[in-house]
Structures are given as structure tokens and as C-alpha cells.
């Protein structure tokens, strides 16, 4: 819960540089990423409803269209700019890119809604899209002529709210098991495929300062994003947290911690921290995503591999979380511009554009035909295609309530991994979600 640009998960937000003790006791410099600020649904509804009812306010240049995203990273901004330049030529219009820091995008969009100056296309994090959609701020894409042909059901759900398709994904990401090939080979161990195998392998690989496995269990969305494949693969459900299946997944994490296979610092680590530990040789395996590949490839001498996340029992599906952003059409009241905005999305999410963007960003194309071509061009990431095929949206079942579920789970991790029983921590988490506190 799963930036960035929006294609990236929460740990990539830029923030302030601070000093803090690392897991080995040394002082190091790191970036503290600001948390995304949640905006109450009532506030979103009031602002968006006022905008829709009063119609368009600001005069727009008829031939200039705007796409607002969070591609403030130089590479992503350039890639998106190249895409928009190609789509401008294809559609015979001018498309401008407006990039806003990820943590500020929702707030910026609401300010623009208040002043009736929303962009023509708004790229939202898929976990936040339901909030805007529930408030009436988005137009269903099928109403504008876009279809979901060749898009897996899970990815359709990823861009949907209350049964309506509002957001088109160009690429998606999910989590996988990364492993150090040399370390496993020297130990004579195979890549684990089940929970029992991963626990045994991680324990055998834990030696000296090296832990067998690294993952993020921090009190932020990173930790929840990493917990979902364990919860879902074990039959757990975010609509009811206090079940044996969810507790079993959390107990599995506690077992890894008890074995010493996980660092006690895992409760503080973001996904970026996990990657740092893996690259430094302090972890033989890690749970992480494809957004780390570029950094991993830059590390000389690091021979890494990737596999689907192990499952409770052989034959179970490995069900990971879908992460990334979706392209939406804001409800501005200008039907003609909204139709053109849909054409812009159709171009940006076209098969070839998906392949190009995926190869640049190490993500997986949303379209199945594009993904098939991508697999031939990025064979080292083929395991991700299988993981995406069974992946789920975090908001498919709970919609705009996901933020409450996420916060409750974050609190449960911190308590359970530092001593409280999983059952007690999750019972309190469910009560927190139910009460809305």
C-alpha cells in the first residue's frame, strides 16, 4: 500500500536529510520521507461537489490540455514529457505536463477544484483515487469511450470504485522476493517457495551481521504494502482484520523475528532501507519491488535474482498488492474537453507507450499484450509478470476506507512485533477501523 512518481511506492518520496543510528549502531545520513497527508472524505466531497454544481470557472485555451502528475523526479518527468509530446502529435493538440510532489498532489488537486481550474487529466495514486471518485470528482472512463479490453481483472479493480472504472493504469508494480544468488549458492540452498522453506532458508542464511531476510514492517504504508501478500496468500481479508488468517500471517513475521532471521530494526525500516541492507550484504533475501532494480544494477558485484513471494503451502497462489498510479478524467462539467482528455489517456495507456514506459521504469505493463512483449525484453523480471497476474488492489474491497485500514494495521505491526499477541493487536485494529478512530 502500494512514490515517487505515482508508479512508485511511498518510500520514494523526497524529504529532509537527517542523521540517525543505523541497525549496526553507526550514525548515517538518510532521507526522512514525509507521510502523505490524508484529506477527510467530507472535505473532499464538499470541495468537489461545489465545483461540479457550479460548472467550469476558469477560461481555458481551447487547444492546450494539461496532465497533472507527481513526476518531479527528473527521469520520470522526462519520460512523461516524451510520451505527451508523442500524444500531442498523434491527437493534433498541445498537451502540457504539470508535476507536483507526490505528498502534495491530492491537496493541490483539491485547491484546483475549489478554484475550478482542475487539469484535464489527473494522475492519482490508486489507493487515493476512490476518495476523489466517491466525492463525485471523476468521470467513469467507459462513459468516455475507453474500454478494459486486454486488462486483467485485478488491474481493472485497481482503477475502479464501486463497480465503475475511473482510472487507467499504464504500468503497475508489486512485490517479489529478491535474493543474493552467490549467497544462496555458497550455502547450497534453493530459492524458497513456501513459508516453511523461507523460514528455514532465512534461518540458515543468518550469520554474523547478515540476516537471512529483510522486509519493511514500519509504521507507514510501506509496512502495510509488504504485509498484504502474507495476509492475502493466507486467506486473510482487509475487510475484517481480527481473523485467524490475518493473525497467522502476522505470527509468521513474528516467527522470523524470533528466529533472528529478521533484524529488530525491521519495525522502523522503509522499503528503501530494506534495499540498502540487501545491497550492503546485510540481508541475503528481501521483499521489495521493481523500483529498486535500477539501484541494484548499479551495485558492482551484486548478482541478484527475483522470484514470487513464497506461499503458506505448495500450490497456493502468491497474492501480492498492486501499486502505482492511474490516469483519471476530473469532472469539470466541460463534456467536450472531458472527451479529449479520455483520448489523451487512451494514447498514454496505449500498448506501445506502456512498453516504453515499463522498460524505462522497471514496472510491468497493465495491458496483457504489452506485458507479453515486455517479458521478452526484460526476462530478468519475468517473475513479476506472474506475481502481477494474481495481484490485488488494496482498495478493491474497502474503497475509500483503505486509509483507516492501513493506519490500524500499522499500529498492529508495531505492537505485535514488539511483544503483544497478534490476536490482541489485530482485535484492537479492527475496533479502530469499525469506530472510525
Amino acid at each position: 500500500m502500494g512514490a515517487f512518481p505515482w508508479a512508485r511506492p511511498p518510500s520514494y518520496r523526497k524529504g529532509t536529510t537527517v542523521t540517525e543510528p543505523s541497525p549496526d549502531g553507526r550514525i548515517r545520513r538518510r532521507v526522512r520521507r514525509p507521510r502523505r497527508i490524508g484529506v477527510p472524505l467530507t472535505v473532499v466531497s464538499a470541495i468537489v461537489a461545489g465545483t461540479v454544481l457550479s460548472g467550469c470557472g476558469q477560461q481555458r485555451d481551447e487547444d492546450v490540455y494539461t496532465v497533472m502528475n507527481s513526476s518531479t523526479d527528473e527521469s520520470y518527468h522526462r519520460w512523461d514529457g516524451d510520451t505527451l509530446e508523442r500524444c500531442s502529435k498523434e491527437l493534433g493538440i498541445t498537451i502540457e505536463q504539470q508535476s507536483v510532489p507526490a505528498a502534495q498532489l491530492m491537496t493541490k488537486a483539491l485547491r484546483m477544484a475549489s478554484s475550478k481550474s482542475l487539469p484535464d487529466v489527473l494522475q492519482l495514486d490508486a489507493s487515493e483515487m476512490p476518495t476523489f471518485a466517491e466525492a463525485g470528482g471523476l468521470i467513469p472512463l467507459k462513459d468516455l469511450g475507453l474500454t478494459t479490453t486486454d486488462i486483467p481483472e485485478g488491474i481493472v479493480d485497481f482503477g475502479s470504485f464501486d463497480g465503475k472504472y475511473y482510472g487507467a493504469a499504464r504500468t503497475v508494480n508489486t512485490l517479489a522476493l529478491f535474493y543474493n544468488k552467490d549467497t544462496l549458492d555458497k550455502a547450497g540452498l534453493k530459492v524458497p517457495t513456501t513459508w516453511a522453506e523461507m523460514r528455514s532458508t532465512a534461518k540458515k542464511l543468518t550469520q554474523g551481521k547478515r540476516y537471512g531476510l529483510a522486509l519493511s514492517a514500519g509504521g507507514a504504508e510501506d509496512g502495510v504494502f509488504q504485509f498484504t501478500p502474507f495476509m492475502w496468500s493466507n486467506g486473510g481479508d482487509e475487510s475484517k482484520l481480527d481473523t485467524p488468517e490475518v493473525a497467522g500471517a502476522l505470527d509468521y513475521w513474528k516467527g522470523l523475528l524470533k528466529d533472528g532471521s529478521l533484524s529488530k530494526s525491521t519495525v522502523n525500516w522503509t522499503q528503501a532501507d530494506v534495499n540498502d541492507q540487501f545491497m550492503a550484504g546485510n540481508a541475503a533475501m528481501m521483499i521489495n519491488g521493481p523500483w529498486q532494480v535500477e539501484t541494484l544494477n548499479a551495485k558492482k558485484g551484486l548478482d541478484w535474482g527475483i522470484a514470487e513471494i513464497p506461499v503458506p503451502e505448495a500450490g497456493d497462489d502468491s497474492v501480492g498488492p498492486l501499486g502505482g498510479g492511474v490516469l483519471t478524467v476530473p469532472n469539470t462539467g466541460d463534456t467536450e474537453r472531458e472527451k479529449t482528455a479520455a483520448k489523451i489517456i487512451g494514447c498514454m495507456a496505449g500498448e506501445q507507450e506502456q512498453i516504453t514506459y515499463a522498460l524505462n521504469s522497471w514496472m510491468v505493463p497493465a495491458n496483457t499484450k504489452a506485458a507479453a512483449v515486455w517479458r521478452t525484453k526484460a526476462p530478468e523480471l519475468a517473475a513479476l509478470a506472474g506475481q502481477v497476474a494474481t495481484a490485488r488492489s488494496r482498495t478493491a474491497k474497502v474503497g475509500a476506507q483503505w486509509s483507516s485500514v492501513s493506519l490500524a494495521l500499522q499500529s498492529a505491526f508495531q505492537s505485535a512485533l514488539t511483544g503483544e499477541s497478534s490476536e490482541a493487536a489485530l482485535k484492537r485494529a479492527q475496533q479502530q477501523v469499525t469506530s472510525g478512530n
Side-chain angles (χ1 to χ4, degrees):
M1 294 242 179
F4 17 51
W6 293 103
R8 295 183 179 183
S11 64
Y12 265 77
R13 300 173 200 147
K14 292 183 178 180
T16 55
T17 302
V18 297
T19 57
E20 64 177 13
S22 67
D24 59 7
R26 299 177 182 176
I27 299 296
R28 62 173 180 158
R29 296 182 65 81
R30 71 182 294 270
V31 175
R32 177 175 293 159
R33 281 91 179 175
R35 292 188 181 182
R36 191 187 305 280
I37 300 173
V39 183
L41 178 60
T42 53
V43 175
V44 176
S45 299
I47 293 175
V48 172
T51 302
V52 174
L53 290 173
S54 59
C56 297
Q58 179 175 309
Q59 291 295 319
R60 300 169 184 261
D61 188 324
E62 292 183 359
D63 296 317
V64 178
Y65 293 80
T66 303
V67 173
M68 190 166 83
N69 56 30
S70 62
S71 300
T72 52
D73 177 271
E74 187 277 329
S75 294
Y76 281 79
H77 191 80
R78 172 166 41 83
W79 298 332
D80 278 334
D82 291 343
T83 296
L84 296 182
E85 184 176 347
R86 289 189 291 269
C87 288
S88 292
K89 292 179 180 179
E90 179 179 323
L91 300 174
I93 57 178
T94 300
I95 309 172
E96 297 181 344
Q97 178 178 200
Q98 182 178 3
S99 298
V100 180
Q104 301 171 22
L105 192 140
M106 178 64 91
T107 304
K108 172 73 172 179
L110 291 176
R111 284 201 301 268
M112 295 177 79
S114 180
S115 63
K116 307 177 186 64
S117 59
L118 280 165
D120 297 287
V121 174
L122 177 62
Q123 186 167 349
L124 291 168
D125 184 88
S127 66
E128 292 185 335
M129 178 274 293
T131 301
F132 219 90
E134 186 172 16
L138 302 176
I139 302 292
L141 297 183
K142 288 187 178 180
D143 292 354
L144 298 172
L146 294 178
T147 73
T148 55
T149 303
D150 296 322
I151 303 176
E153 183 180 353
I155 298 180
V156 174
D157 290 342
F158 183 65
S160 300
F161 170 72
D162 200 21
K164 293 184 178 181
Y165 181 59
Y166 289 100
R170 290 183 289 171
T171 59
V172 292
N173 62 61
T174 189
L175 294 168
L177 177 71
F178 288 74
Y179 57 93
N180 187 308
K181 292 182 178 180
D182 292 335
T183 302
L184 264 68
D185 287 345
K186 289 178 181 178
L189 298 171
K190 295 181 179 180
V191 179
T193 60
T194 66
W195 281 9
E197 289 176 359
M198 183 160 70
R199 186 169 179 177
S200 173
T201 300
K203 191 171 184 178
K204 292 175 181 176
L205 292 173
T206 299
Q207 296 179 10
K209 295 182 178 180
R210 186 187 69 207
Y211 293 95
L213 179 69
L215 55 79
S216 169
E221 185 69 16
D222 277 18
V224 179
F225 197 71
Q226 295 226 331
F227 182 64
T228 53
F230 294 88
M231 175 173 71
W232 290 337
S233 297
N234 201 42
D237 194 307
E238 61 271 26
S239 64
K240 188 169 177 57
L241 301 178
D242 54 346
T243 65
E245 291 78 12
V246 182
L250 190 48
D251 280 340
Y252 181 72
W253 275 16
K254 293 183 70 172
L256 291 167
L257 198 61
K258 182 180 179 180
D259 290 346
S261 301
L262 285 179
S263 167
K264 292 181 179 179
S265 296
T266 193
V267 295
N268 300 315
W269 284 349
T270 65
Q271 293 175 123
D273 295 325
V274 169
N275 193 55
D276 288 344
Q277 296 299 317
F278 182 73
M279 290 181 63
N282 296 330
M285 302 181 292
M286 71 170 175
I287 305 297
N288 227 313
W291 51 87
Q292 309 289 13
V293 170
E294 188 172 7
T295 305
L296 292 173
N297 284 343
K299 176 73 172 179
K300 292 183 179 180
L302 178 61
D303 189 10
W304 58 273
I306 188 171
E308 291 187 19
I309 296 174
V311 292
E313 300 291 341
D316 290 344
D317 285 334
S318 182
V319 186
L322 283 172
V326 291
L327 299 167
T328 70
V329 176
N331 187 353
T332 63
D334 188 330
T335 55
E336 290 305 311
R337 290 190 72 93
E338 289 166 0
K339 290 178 182 177
T340 302
K343 292 179 181 178
I344 294 172
I345 291 177
C347 178
M348 295 179 69
E351 288 182 31
Q352 186 55 54
E353 289 297 341
Q354 286 195 20
I355 294 169
T356 300
Y357 195 79
L359 291 173
N360 281 334
S361 62
W362 303 101
M363 303 298 166
V364 182
N367 180 288
T368 53
K369 291 182 178 178
V373 175
W374 169 85
R375 278 194 291 269
T376 66
K377 296 178 179 292
E380 70 275 23
L381 299 181
L384 280 172
Q387 192 81 61
V388 164
T390 57
R392 283 177 46 186
S393 163
R394 287 163 286 170
T395 60
K397 289 194 174 184
V398 296
Q401 193 184 28
W402 171 257
S403 59
S404 297
V405 172
S406 177
L407 289 171
L409 276 173
Q410 291 167 30
S411 178
F413 295 159
Q414 300 298 289
S415 298
L417 295 178
T418 53
E420 188 176 19
S421 73
S422 297
E423 290 79 5
L426 290 167
K427 181 178 181 180
R428 188 173 59 255
Q430 182 58 44
Q431 292 172 342
Q432 183 179 336
V433 173
T434 302
S435 66
N437 295 322

